[in-house]
Structure formats: structure tokens, C-alpha cells
Amino acid sequence: MTDYNELAAKAVERYNTRSGHRFGAGCGLKAALVDMDGVLYDSMRNHSKAWFRLMSEQGIACTPDDFYRFEGMTGVATINTLLRRNSRPEISHDEAMALYQRKAGYFRAMGAPDVMPHTIDVLSRLSDNGVRCVLVTGSAQASVISRIDADYVGIFAADDRVTALDVVHGKPDPEPYLKGLEKAGAKPYNAIVIENAPLGAKAGHAAGVFTVAVTTGPIGADELYDAGADLVLPDMATFASVVPNILKLADSI
């Protein structure tokens, strides 16, 4: 049976080595930079279906699982990545946004996704210990973003959000998480990233932040570690149980 608290302690040791900083650095954990789809909401299966329908209509070869691996990119970047992969010319920002809006309509038609089980437990335990939670998502899907205040009451301040509309370069570029750090007024070693996707793990790693990935979809732990995650956990319930130890590790070093 895996001891996830021990796994977290070893992950912190590796983070200190690779980053050149001490996790917490005497100030403890100050910020949690939190992805949305697949972390706050069990929404990726519907995103995948909507994207697959849209791109198939455009004659673009792809699979539904492709979109779990593209998760974190902006919609425009996702479209042009698939066009390039299919030896098709990229399209303008406006043309790509028009396609993205069609995809958003397909997504909305499937109904509201469920809140991810136990994520509120993770975030409440962090928030109750003074950790500032900042949303960092590659999405501009207003139908989901607009639910956050009701579903995660008191967790995210109104301005503590970085979406696809706030960045030039989406994940795997570190820009979204660097902006999240700026909003939180935190250093990389005083924060954690909470992710579920390879591109998000790459972005968190590149931003120099201790990156926790949770396997809430079909992407396995090995792929998330390969992408740069410092710690991979099997579900949000396990993460909630490990939060007290992560807080202790940040305060004790």
C-alpha cells in the first residue's frame, strides 16, 4: 500500500534539488494555483467529445483522447496545432475563435458538468490554512467559469483568475502560472500547482512551482511525471488526506 505522505516528502526533496530553492523557504505555503477542467469540474469527457465533433466536421484526423493531452492550450492554439498536424495551413485568430465558439456550443448542449468529487475538501483545507487559491485555466468557457463562485464558495477572490483571455501563450508555456503567482504575490517556492494534464504539468514545472497532478482522467501517472509533475496522486480524496503534510513540509523547511 502506497504511503502518499512519504511520497510527498520525497517529492519535496526532488523539487528542492531541481529548483534550487527550499519548498516554503521559511514563509510556508502561500498560494495554490488551480486548474479548472479535470480539477474543479469533471468536464474533460464533454470537452473531448465537443472538440472531436468539431474537428471531425472540419475533416481533421484526431481521436477523443487527443484533447486530454491538449488540455491547457487555448482554443485557438488547439485548433492550429491540429491543423498543422494534419498538414493544413493555420487560420486567423478570428476564424479560430469562430470555430471555438461552435465547440463551446456543443459543450454547453451536453449539460453542466459535475463538480469534481473531493476537490472542495482539498481547497477548503488549503484556504483554511491561509493559502490563497488562484484559478489558472486555459479555458475561456464562460458556462463553467461562471459557476465557480457558487460551487466553491469563498475559495477564489473575484480577481484571482487567469483564463485563456488573459495570456498570450497558453500552457505548456509557463505564462499562465507566472501570472497566477503575480496575482497571489507569491514566489514559485511558496506555491503549489494543482493539475491533471500533461501540458499543465509542463507549465507548472517550467514556472518553477511544486506541481501536484491528480489522475482524474485517462492520463496515467507515468505520463504526468514525464511531463514534469513533482507529485502524482490517484484522486482528490487522497490529495485531501495529504494536504496537512504538504503544509507541514512547507512550514518545516
Side-chain angles (χ1 to χ4, degrees):
M1 185 174 180
T2 303
D3 184 338
Y4 289 104
N5 285 315
E6 181 180 350
L7 200 65
K10 291 180 178 178
V12 166
E13 290 177 6
R14 291 193 300 271
Y15 169 80
N16 292 341
T17 299
R18 67 102 167 166
S19 70
H21 295 291
R22 292 181 302 122
F23 182 56
C27 298
L29 190 61
K30 298 300 181 186
L33 311 179
V34 187
D35 182 42
M36 183 175 72
D37 293 301
V39 173
L40 298 182
Y41 295 98
D42 190 9
S43 48
M44 275 310 300
R45 68 191 71 189
N46 288 356
H47 279 299
S48 176
K49 291 175 184 176
W51 272 118
F52 181 69
R53 176 180 173 183
L54 174 78
M55 300 313 290
S56 296
E57 289 171 350
Q58 307 306 308
I60 300 298
C62 58
T63 69
D65 278 0
D66 281 335
F67 300 100
Y68 287 90
R69 293 184 170 85
F70 293 153
E71 183 191 349
M73 284 187 183
T74 65
V76 171
T78 297
I79 290 165
N80 279 319
T81 295
L82 276 170
L83 288 171
R84 289 194 303 271
R85 197 174 81 174
N86 280 262
S87 301
R88 299 261 292 267
E90 293 187 13
I91 58 179
S92 71
H93 183 273
D94 288 347
E95 290 172 313
M97 281 301 295
L99 285 176
Y100 179 74
Q101 291 305 320
R102 190 186 305 175
K103 174 263 170 184
Y106 295 158
F107 176 82
R108 288 193 300 271
M110 295 180 206
D114 293 333
V115 170
M116 185 64 70
H118 299 289
T119 296
I120 189 63
D121 300 329
V122 172
L123 300 185
S124 294
R125 291 179 187 188
L126 291 168
S127 183
D128 288 348
N129 282 276
V131 178
R132 184 171 174 178
C133 295
V134 178
L135 176 72
V136 183
T137 176
S139 176
Q141 195 86 41
S143 62
V144 181
I145 295 170
S146 63
R147 293 177 49 193
I148 289 174
D149 286 340
D151 292 331
Y152 291 91
V153 177
I155 299 295
F156 297 96
D159 190 49
D160 284 353
R161 298 171 192 209
V162 179
T163 76
L165 303 179
D166 300 312
V167 299
V168 176
H169 305 290
K171 304 169 189 177
D173 193 276
E175 181 186 354
Y177 282 119
L178 293 174
K179 283 186 175 290
L181 287 171
E182 184 179 353
K183 281 186 176 290
K187 300 293 186 182
Y189 46 82
N190 295 123
I192 60 170
V193 159
I194 302 176
E195 267 289 350
N196 71 301
L199 295 187
K202 286 183 180 180
H205 182 99
V209 183
F210 184 80
T211 299
V212 181
V214 186
T215 55
T216 61
I219 306 300
D222 287 347
E223 188 169 347
L224 290 165
Y225 275 123
D226 288 345
D230 295 290
L231 175 64
V232 180
L233 300 172
D235 51 50
M236 287 295 174
T238 301
F239 193 0
S241 73
V242 173
V243 165
N245 194 46
I246 290 176
L247 291 165
K248 185 185 298 183
L249 288 166
D251 283 333
S252 64
I253 292 176

